[in-house]
Amino acid sequence: MTHRVNIIFGVLAQLLLLSGIATAQIQVNPASPSPGLLWHFFGAINSVEVLSTAAVRSFYLAVTYQGDILFTHAGELDRVDRTVITAGVLAVALQGGCRDGVIAFAGSDQYRDGGQSTSLSSSCLQILGYLGGSVSKAAGERSIWLGVAPTEVPLNRWEPFLIYTPTLAGEEQPQPSPDLWGTIVFLLYLSNEALPADSRQHPQVPLLETWDDLP
């Protein structure tokens, strides 16, 4: 099932707990996150479906903020029929020690004959004065922010997947800006190679200061 990606802002009652030159493109489709993943969060969400083909074998999602990589999430694609990749921000964090900020998350649902598997990675990001936030399209055409139509995504290149700008106490509503210091940037990398044996290895993630830094 595919439909318009929803941006959801709300309060969480409980958290359950992809460098190179593009050589090809792969079509990705709009998708809705699975109900299983939705139990983990409410917040700003982007989700796409990737059908398994010989061209694409794995994916990486990297989450960056203020010049740091918060975490990366990766998965194989060539042993399943289709994969729904989801990432986003939990707008209000109430879980455990994560307060006064957000939870950034990335996950995937993989479907094959006879079964489904779900994986999720997340990180608590405490932001002093956090009041909320908004999704930005400042990356323009480079942003994989889908509506109701499929789109072509280059292989072997990091692409903006979700751009979330927190609003802080005493600040005006954020506007699209080339300055990415205070922006949480999710980057997606679709690869034509299998995942390395060392799960900590991944293509070099660009730490963006402006959108001109995108390779």
Side-chain angles (χ1 to χ4, degrees):
M1 178 184 66
T2 62
H3 65 268
R4 181 179 301 275
V5 177
N6 296 312
I7 304 173
I8 309 170
F9 292 98
V11 178
L12 182 69
Q14 182 177 3
L15 183 67
L16 302 174
L17 356 118
L18 176 227
S19 127
I21 298 175
T23 58
Q25 290 186 328
I26 190 75
Q27 178 176 293
V28 300
N29 303 312
S32 59
S34 76
L37 274 175
L38 281 173
W39 277 104
H40 292 274
F41 49 76
F42 293 135
I45 301 172
N46 194 17
S47 189
V48 299
E49 179 188 64
V50 183
L51 300 179
S52 294
T53 69
V56 57
R57 300 184 61 189
S58 62
F59 77 90
Y60 302 83
L61 266 166
V63 187
T64 67
Y65 180 68
Q66 293 189 344
D68 292 324
I69 302 172
L70 298 181
F71 66 90
T72 60
H73 180 86
E76 293 275 7
L77 295 174
D78 59 346
R79 297 172 184 165
V80 297
D81 297 324
R82 63 188 181 92
T83 299
V84 175
I85 303 170
T86 301
V89 171
L90 168 64
V92 179
L94 301 176
Q95 171 68 18
C98 190
R99 297 178 182 274
D100 302 320
V102 302
I103 292 178
F105 57 84
S108 60
D109 281 293
Q110 297 192 311
Y111 301 86
R112 57 177 61 82
D113 287 340
Q116 171 193 353
S117 60
T118 299
S119 62
L120 179 71
S121 299
S122 63
S123 177
C124 173
L125 180 59
Q126 294 183 322
I127 304 174
L128 184 64
Y130 175 77
L131 295 178
S134 62
V135 173
S136 169
K137 297 182 180 180
E141 295 180 358
R142 288 289 297 272
S143 181
I144 311 171
W145 182 258
L146 301 182
V148 296
T151 191
E152 298 292 326
V153 178
L155 290 178
N156 306 322
R157 190 173 77 181
W158 292 102
E159 295 291 323
F161 187 72
L162 179 65
I163 306 153
Y164 182 84
T165 304
T167 301
L168 306 182
E171 288 188 350
E172 297 181 356
Q173 186 72 15
Q175 299 296 323
S177 169
D179 181 8
L180 297 176
W181 176 253
T183 298
I184 304 172
V185 179
F186 296 75
L187 299 168
L188 175 66
Y189 189 104
L190 298 178
S191 176
N192 61 358
E193 298 182 356
L195 291 179
D198 185 347
S199 61
R200 296 169 298 180
Q201 294 182 357
H202 51 74
Q204 183 177 353
V205 179
L207 296 176
L208 308 176
E209 295 183 5
T210 72
W211 291 118
D212 292 337
D213 296 332
L214 271 174

